[in-house]
Amino acid sequence: MRLIAEREGKTVADSDPAIVVEGLRKTYGGKPALAGLDLTVPSGTVHAVLGPNGAGKTTCVRILATLLRHDGGRAEVAGYDVLRHPDEVRHRIGLLGQHAAVDEELSGRQNLEMFGRLHHLGGRRARERADELLERFGLAGTGTKAVSRYSGGMRRRLDLAASLIVRPRVLFLDEPTTGLDPRGRTEVWESVRSLVGDGTTVLLTTQYLEEADQLADRVCVVDHGRAVADGTTDQLKARIGGDRIDVVVRDAGQLAAAASVIGMASRAATVDTDPDRRRIGARVTDRVAALTETVRALDAAGIEAEDIALRRPTLDEVFLHLTAERTDEQTGDEARATTHEETPV
């Protein structure tokens, strides 16, 4: 096994986690942003962190990037504690924040050379590294053009290139495609896949569930400063009941009858109806049998279907389901706490 670093008398190997977070806490003005977050990111993978606004995603990234001190718990990046060895961490990471860090008046090449000099590469090496990165991110032909003339996708790729000046082992991407059109997002995704193929570990925070589905090996769902679920996208999708059958009936007047027929034929525990779209949905366990029986039952009942689809749960549905579970748990805890407070001792 190839060793890549040594610290405090211990060796750090390729197989060791790139990021370890245990019980991480951070409070702003008495309000917890992180309330005991746990997270482990294997080396050479993309790990997505999903969560609603205010869930603590950016706070976590800022702590791991040594830009913010945490109040409790432990955080380790590339084998180094972020509080005890911040300089060692900084030498091994790259960070792409939510807002562009490049100078729009300079050209792409000038920006990258400037970042190289700031990282003490020296003039010649900074120019060589700028050329390498412009080529890698498909910007070689635009290197002399002012960044103000770049498209959104080109600008974000340049931002990503700038974060790689020092060839980081771990790269933090904090909502990297916010505000980009579909083409720009695709360009960034392709760049991220290329980085991971070369062995870089990526921690990605995003509000685009499609982005996590496209890029991530594993997904951590964060809500109210805690991890409420962690696993592959398939594992998370399995938590809400497997496959789903959706039927759109031609006649809205047959919606109730169709829901009853579909529920019995698919053996679904619950059936959802959407009157506005004339749609019935049911979660099923045996996808092929459910589809076959549903088609037969609808035909026997004389109910005409405009569309029938069998699909996997989306990550959007997983996210809504998991965060709703967390909200229900908190509401229950608050109710129990209130009852306890009001009960005489």
Side-chain angles (χ1 to χ4, degrees):
M1 183 178 295
R2 183 172 62 88
L3 301 179
I4 52 178
E6 293 188 0
R7 76 197 190 284
E8 302 172 356
K10 296 182 289 184
T11 57
V12 183
D14 286 339
S15 58
D16 289 344
I19 300 171
V20 177
V21 173
E22 295 178 345
L24 201 62
R25 296 181 178 275
K26 180 64 181 179
T27 301
Y28 294 107
K31 184 177 180 180
L34 295 176
L37 179 68
D38 295 315
L39 176 68
T40 300
V41 180
S43 296
T45 65
V46 179
H47 206 109
V49 177
L50 302 181
N53 288 331
K57 303 186 301 297
T58 296
T59 298
C60 177
V61 168
R62 289 177 62 82
I63 289 171
L64 294 174
T66 74
L67 299 176
L68 189 67
R69 293 176 66 89
H70 51 281
D71 300 327
R74 182 175 76 92
E76 192 176 274
V77 177
Y80 294 92
D81 187 279
V82 298
L83 282 184
R84 289 184 292 169
H85 304 287
D87 289 340
E88 297 292 348
V89 172
R90 291 171 193 144
H91 290 156
R92 290 162 174 79
I93 66 171
L95 171 63
L96 178 61
Q98 296 179 20
H99 306 290
V102 294
D103 188 322
E104 294 196 355
E105 299 303 315
L106 299 179
S107 69
R109 185 182 306 281
Q110 288 171 329
N111 267 283
L112 294 180
E113 288 182 14
M114 176 183 68
F115 278 102
R117 297 297 293 270
L118 289 173
H119 282 88
H120 310 291
L121 292 186
R124 179 179 178 181
R125 183 61 189 131
R127 288 190 295 274
E128 290 174 349
R129 188 66 178 139
D131 288 338
E132 292 170 6
L133 291 169
L134 288 170
E135 183 68 34
R136 176 172 190 169
F137 287 96
L139 297 171
T142 65
T144 59
K145 182 190 298 184
V147 173
S148 59
R149 297 171 58 195
Y150 279 22
S151 68
M154 290 167 59
R155 190 172 310 184
R156 210 57 175 140
R157 278 185 285 149
L158 180 66
D159 228 3
L160 185 54
S163 69
L164 299 174
I165 285 288
V166 293
R167 300 181 187 274
R169 284 191 54 211
V170 180
L171 178 63
F172 298 110
L173 303 180
D174 191 12
E175 301 190 13
T177 60
T178 297
L180 294 184
D181 60 23
R183 182 184 296 275
R185 289 171 64 192
T186 300
E187 291 174 353
V188 173
W189 291 353
E190 290 173 351
S191 298
V192 172
R193 291 189 185 101
S194 175
L195 292 174
V196 177
D198 289 343
T200 301
T201 302
V202 175
L203 182 68
L204 165 75
T205 73
T206 181
Q207 294 188 57
Y208 296 123
L209 292 109
E210 180 192 5
E211 188 159 81
D213 224 350
Q214 286 279 338
L215 295 177
D217 297 291
R218 295 183 66 86
V219 175
C220 177
V221 180
V222 177
D223 197 21
H224 294 90
R226 291 179 179 270
V228 297
D230 194 309
T232 66
T233 56
D234 285 342
Q235 288 171 340
L236 296 183
K237 290 173 183 178
R239 290 185 56 164
I240 63 172
D243 300 310
R244 179 183 178 91
I245 189 168
D246 286 331
V247 178
V248 177
V249 297
R250 189 170 297 280
D251 183 359
Q254 293 184 311
L255 193 67
S260 178
V261 168
I262 292 168
M264 294 183 63
S266 66
R267 296 179 175 83
T270 59
V271 178
D272 305 318
T273 59
D274 184 347
D276 292 336
R277 295 190 292 176
R278 296 173 281 116
R279 184 187 299 274
I280 303 107
R283 303 198 185 283
V284 298
T285 53
D286 188 334
R287 61 199 317 259
V288 176
L291 179 61
T292 302
E293 291 302 318
T294 296
V295 171
R296 288 175 178 169
L298 289 173
D299 185 59
I303 299 172
E304 187 176 359
E306 192 172 273
D307 185 46
I308 300 179
L310 190 64
R311 63 177 178 82
R312 303 284 186 187
T314 65
L315 206 52
D316 301 64
E317 290 170 331
V318 173
F319 176 77
L320 293 172
H321 176 76
L322 291 172
T323 53
E325 278 186 347
R326 178 68 178 166
T327 300
D328 290 344
E329 289 173 4
Q330 287 193 322
T331 300
D333 290 343
E334 290 170 1
R336 286 189 289 273
T338 301
T339 301
H340 178 73
E341 289 171 1
E342 293 175 352
T343 302
V345 178

